[in-house]
Amino acid sequence: MLPLAGVLVVAVEQAVAAPLCTRHLGDLGARVVKVENRAGGDFARAYDEVVNGMAAHFVWANRNKESLALDLKHPEGREALARLVAQADVVVQNLAPGAAARLGLDPAELRAKHPRLICVDISGYGKGGPYAQARAYDLLVQSEAGSCAITGTPEAPAKPGIPIADIGAGMYALSSILTALYVRERTGEGAAISVGLFDVVAEWMGFALNQARYGGFDVAPNGLSSPMVSPYGAYRTADGQTLVLGTTNDREWRRLAGHVLGRPDLAKDPRYTTNADRVALRPELDAVIAAWAATLPLAECRRLAEDAGLGHARLNTPTEVLAHPQLTDRDRWQTVDSPAGPVQVLLPPPQCDSWDWRLDAVPALGAHSAQILADLGYPPADVARLVADGVAGPAD
């Protein structure tokens, strides 16, 4: 079973946040029509050419979609979009501020015409407020909302390596759409949903904002460690690899000290009794663990940690993750088609015995334009004219 089979999603989208949301809807079986500018399409198509000539971001976020390329500055392009929206269950857009209204995608107007429609607006800063019209990209929003200030080190703040503002907004939009579809089944009414990247990052900053408000301090970034617990960090091993090792409570600390490090004296030392004590003395505990790790290969460090019931990991690069046994042994890598031939993709994270995942192709720009227009009731002659006049289909 494909859970969202029969649901039509119209996506007027760019980059990551909205495309990742709608890709997951497509994974669940929805029909997703991606409306793109006929001259170039989604600008993420041109980020790089690393996936057999296609962009890594685009391949990641755009399988299971049909591409309709339109000139939305042309009245007939906007008319085609309006026809498509009239048939849709969900409309998702993450255009620049003001652009959606100019294209006839204002949620209030759409809901007035189509009461069952679910309209989703993904923006940088959400509805209202002094930043509502501000352009916003992942780095800008993460900087504004504070996540970059608690990442990296005190000397070198950093943006997290993955675009958490974009990903988070896409996932909140996804969960909101699924909720709205459920509500519509009971009430017959659609919904207008707004998701702001800034609000997403602010929500995920929860513990740090609580510390700022109620503790009166800004949590300091500390690289591959945790601001909340100690010991917890990354340590080089004798064979040049990196062990990531941590404790989350006093019992684990005592097992680490006594059974892994072979230092029962540390387990009994009153200076290290509580987590707060250990956080205050983090540098000296890290030095002890680093000295221990430097004498052993990674495999032996992990064996000792495992025997003591402690969490541990290896610091892997993306290239190393490709062959990670937790992915390969469970067949998490699958193949989908694309304009450049078969490409490897990961299955979505949820696992359920009751439904299948849809794994259709990554679309070429405008590949489905003629068929979609025909499905909208345009006669063949009109379809040919719209393509010839540059209203539909990819630019030559």
Side-chain angles (χ1 to χ4, degrees):
M1 182 185 72
L2 294 173
L4 295 186
V7 172
L8 173 59
V9 178
V10 175
V12 188
E13 58 184 18
Q14 304 274 6
V16 175
L20 191 60
C21 166
T22 58
R23 193 217 82 191
H24 280 286
L25 293 170
D27 290 342
L28 288 164
R31 181 190 179 195
V32 180
V33 176
K34 183 181 180 76
V35 180
E36 302 187 69
N37 184 333
R38 62 178 296 277
D42 181 340
F43 55 70
R45 285 182 179 273
Y47 277 174
D48 58 41
E49 298 181 345
V50 71
V51 185
N52 302 330
M54 301 175 295
H57 282 75
F58 190 84
V59 171
W60 168 43
N62 287 283
R63 66 175 181 250
N64 296 328
K65 299 181 184 181
E66 303 168 35
S67 175
L68 169 61
L70 293 173
D71 178 0
L72 293 178
K73 294 182 179 179
H74 194 288
E76 289 190 285
R78 292 193 297 276
E79 168 59 26
L81 176 60
R83 288 198 195 187
L84 182 61
V85 167
Q87 298 183 6
D89 296 285
V90 180
V91 174
V92 180
Q93 64 84 19
N94 67 333
L95 302 176
R102 293 193 295 272
L103 297 178
L105 298 178
D106 176 76
E109 293 182 14
L110 288 180
R111 292 273 294 110
K113 294 178 184 176
H114 313 294
R116 288 178 54 83
L117 187 63
I118 297 166
C119 305
V120 182
D121 171 27
I122 300 176
S123 63
Y125 291 94
K127 294 175 63 176
Y131 283 65
Q133 298 303 309
R135 283 186 172 271
Y137 306 117
D138 185 89
L139 170 61
L140 307 182
V141 169
Q142 288 206 53
S143 298
E144 198 75 39
S147 60
C148 293
I150 64 170
T151 307
T153 66
E155 298 76 23
K159 185 186 90 65
I162 60 174
I164 64 169
D166 284 329
I167 295 170
M171 294 300 95
Y172 276 112
L174 171 67
S175 62
S176 297
I177 290 166
L178 298 177
T179 302
L181 287 168
Y182 175 71
V183 171
R184 194 179 71 175
E185 286 297 304
R186 294 186 294 167
T187 67
E189 288 292 316
I193 299 165
S194 173
V195 179
L197 276 69
F198 180 83
D199 295 330
V200 168
V201 180
E203 161 65 20
W204 287 3
M205 288 283 290
F207 81 91
L209 297 181
N210 279 342
Q211 289 174 325
R213 182 183 297 277
Y214 298 105
F217 64 90
D218 291 321
V219 60
N222 53 5
L224 278 172
S225 186
S226 166
M228 303 302 298
V229 293
S230 177
Y232 201 109
Y235 310 95
R236 293 290 285 179
T237 59
D239 52 352
Q241 301 191 63
T242 300
L243 168 73
V244 182
L245 181 67
T247 61
T248 58
N249 56 56
D250 297 338
R251 294 184 306 278
E252 289 187 353
W253 154 245
R254 290 191 290 271
R255 295 202 301 272
L256 172 63
H259 301 308
V260 178
L261 303 180
R263 294 286 305 275
D265 58 306
L266 294 180
K268 297 175 182 177
D269 192 323
R271 295 181 302 153
Y272 307 134
T273 300
T274 69
N275 180 65
D277 295 332
R278 297 190 295 274
V279 168
L281 298 173
R282 182 195 306 276
E284 62 185 63
L285 286 179
D286 280 344
V288 171
I289 300 171
W292 164 80
T295 67
L296 298 171
L298 177 72
E300 179 63 8
C301 292
R302 297 192 73 174
R303 184 191 68 77
L304 290 168
E306 187 68 22
D307 289 348
L310 299 177
H312 54 91
R314 177 180 189 265
L315 180 64
N316 288 316
T317 66
T319 302
E320 290 165 336
V321 173
L322 294 176
H324 198 294
Q326 194 63 13
L327 297 175
T328 58
D329 290 4
R330 297 183 302 141
D331 296 321
R332 301 299 295 166
W333 289 108
Q334 298 290 311
T335 301
V336 301
D337 201 4
S338 80
V343 295
Q344 294 290 296
V345 302
L346 280 170
L347 286 170
Q351 294 178 270
C352 180
D353 294 336
S354 302
W355 70 63
D356 291 324
W357 294 109
R358 180 179 168 209
L359 292 170
D360 287 352
V362 177
L365 175 60
H368 306 88
S369 298
Q371 183 59 56
I372 293 170
L373 292 173
D375 293 344
L376 291 174
Y378 285 90
D382 285 350
V383 173
R385 178 181 59 78
L386 291 172
V387 172
D389 290 349
V391 177
D396 295 333

